[in-house]
């Protein structure tokens, strides 16, 4: 069983990954756009730059026929920020049914979660709470093409450098074989899997915990749970410490989601699962 944070040599160092947007985005900055008119010319330019970064011609075929998605742009321009109070936000997301299902998951994966806590230091109730909040335990992962969404956002001028890096990492995930192209479907901004990892987080933190040779955050619950714990460890999770506001692990929860209402909701949900 391979469970290391850096289990694949293909991932390279974090320092190298951080340099990728600097290396690629400038070459594409002049061709980004705010509508579909330049997308057809941008795509082959991106492919050439991506190949120079080690993406294989075979992997780049995942972008063949990809088109600009106006729905993604509309959603990007109309994001609703967290304007609810914590009490409202938590009440809308921590239902009796979700708590009951979470406790069932804790029992179902008890041995797996025990091994995850031993390795990464994160209690089972915390990762199960995130699992429930993100996709209702894998039920609502999203159905939009990751490649199309990220291509659209990479071309778009608003956050081109950021999403260029995400698209490169999505291609690496596909190239390595962790996910098939059909499995690479998710939310509109390119989040993947049962706890909604961005592609860059997938590359940094996804682990193969079930031992089948790939980090599958779409279909493998052990991989999902272990990778989520590994993510929190990467953001400074301290084994045995508390996770409420002002406690050591609260910052790790903010690393998961910088919205205070979300981080606090994870903590409250986890505490309810532990009861």
């Amino acid at each position: 069983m391979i469970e290391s944070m850096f289990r694949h040599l293909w991932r390279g160092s974090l320092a190298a990954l951080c340099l990728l947007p600097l290396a690629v985005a400038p070459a594409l900055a002049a061709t980004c756009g705010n509508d579909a008119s330049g997308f057809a010319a941008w795509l082959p330019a991106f492919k050439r730059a991506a190949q120079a970064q080690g993406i294989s011609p075979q992997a780049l075929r995942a972008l063949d026929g990809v088109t600009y998605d106006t729905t993604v742009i509309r959603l990007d321009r109309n994001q609703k920020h967290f304007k609810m109070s914590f009490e409202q936000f938590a009440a809308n997301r921590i239902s009796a049914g979700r708590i009951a299902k979470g406790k069932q998951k804790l029992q179902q994966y008890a041995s797996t979660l025990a091994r995850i806590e031993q390795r990464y230091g994160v209690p089972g109730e915390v990762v199960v709470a995130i699992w429930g909040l993100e996709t209702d335990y894998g039920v609502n992962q999203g159905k939009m093409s990751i490649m199309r969404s990220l291509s659209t956002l990479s071309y778009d001028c608003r956050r081109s450098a950021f999403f260029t890096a995400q698209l490169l990492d999505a291609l690496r995930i596909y190239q390595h074989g962790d996910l098939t192209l059909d499995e690479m479907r998710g939310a509109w901004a390119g989040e993947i899997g049962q706890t909604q990892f961005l592609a860059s987080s997938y590359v940094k933190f996804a682990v193969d915990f079930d031992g089948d040779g790939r980090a599958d955050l779409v279909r493998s619950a052990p991989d999902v749970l272990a990778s989520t714990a590994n993510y929190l460890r990467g953001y400074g999770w301290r084994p045995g410490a508390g996770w409420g506001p002002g406690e050591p692990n609260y910052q790790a929860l903010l690393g998961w989601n910088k919205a205070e209402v979300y981080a606090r909701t994870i903590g409250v949900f986890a505490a309810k699962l532990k009861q």
Side-chain angles (χ1 to χ4, degrees):
M1 185 174 297
I2 306 170
E3 302 163 9
S4 168
M5 176 176 174
F6 301 106
R7 68 184 184 91
H8 296 313
L9 293 176
W10 69 281
R11 299 190 193 282
S13 70
L14 291 180
L17 287 169
C18 291
L19 290 174
L20 287 176
L22 299 178
V24 178
L28 303 178
T31 59
C32 75
N34 291 318
D35 58 40
S37 61
F39 186 83
W42 172 87
L43 189 58
F46 171 83
K47 287 183 177 181
R48 289 192 295 271
Q51 193 166 349
Q53 292 295 318
I55 306 300
S56 69
Q58 182 178 2
L60 286 168
R61 293 193 192 104
L63 300 181
D64 288 352
V66 166
T67 56
Y68 183 85
D69 192 337
T70 56
T71 298
V72 167
I73 297 301
R74 176 176 55 79
L75 291 168
D76 179 67
R77 300 297 192 266
N78 293 282
Q79 297 183 57
K80 294 181 180 179
H81 299 289
F82 294 108
K83 295 181 179 179
M84 295 181 185
S85 68
F86 162 68
E87 290 75 16
Q88 290 172 319
F89 186 86
N92 286 342
R93 287 158 179 79
I94 305 177
S95 65
R98 189 168 279 173
I99 291 170
K101 190 172 182 180
K103 289 184 176 182
Q104 290 175 357
K105 296 296 184 184
L106 282 170
Q107 293 179 352
Q108 181 180 356
Y109 293 102
S111 61
T112 298
L113 290 166
R115 289 188 294 114
I116 288 171
E117 183 171 6
Q118 183 178 23
R119 177 166 291 273
Y120 301 108
V122 184
E125 59 267 23
V126 174
V127 292
V128 169
I130 291 173
W131 192 17
L133 289 171
E134 290 290 345
T135 64
D136 202 15
Y137 310 103
V139 174
N140 301 311
Q141 298 185 48
K143 298 180 180 180
M144 300 181 75
S145 165
I146 297 298
M147 295 302 183
R148 188 183 187 197
S149 293
L150 291 179
S151 293
T152 299
L153 292 166
S154 180
Y155 163 73
D156 181 59
C157 289
R158 193 177 79 84
R159 298 184 69 191
S160 182
F162 175 81
F163 283 109
T164 293
Q166 298 301 320
L167 180 55
L168 286 167
D169 280 337
L171 288 163
R172 289 187 177 88
I173 294 165
Y174 174 63
Q175 178 171 285
H176 186 260
D178 281 333
L179 296 175
T180 66
L181 193 58
D182 185 60
E183 289 170 334
M184 295 192 73
R185 295 186 174 276
W188 67 265
E191 299 94 338
I192 307 169
Q194 296 190 33
T195 51
Q196 299 287 275
F197 274 39
L198 287 172
S200 60
S201 297
Y202 206 118
V203 166
K204 292 176 187 176
F205 300 121
V207 294
D208 170 22
F209 206 72
D210 62 12
D212 69 351
R214 63 179 188 147
D216 181 357
L217 305 193
V218 173
R219 301 184 189 279
S220 170
D223 290 3
V224 168
L225 297 169
S227 299
T228 303
N230 193 31
Y231 184 110
L232 292 174
R233 185 178 71 168
Y235 277 86
W237 188 276
R238 290 169 50 183
W243 58 73
E247 295 183 295
N249 287 324
Y250 188 62
Q251 289 303 312
L253 295 183
L254 287 173
W256 182 268
N257 192 305
K258 64 183 179 181
E260 293 266 356
V261 293
Y262 201 103
R264 289 178 64 187
T265 298
I266 294 172
V268 170
F269 193 5
K272 289 182 178 293
L273 291 176
K274 192 176 181 179
Q275 292 174 355

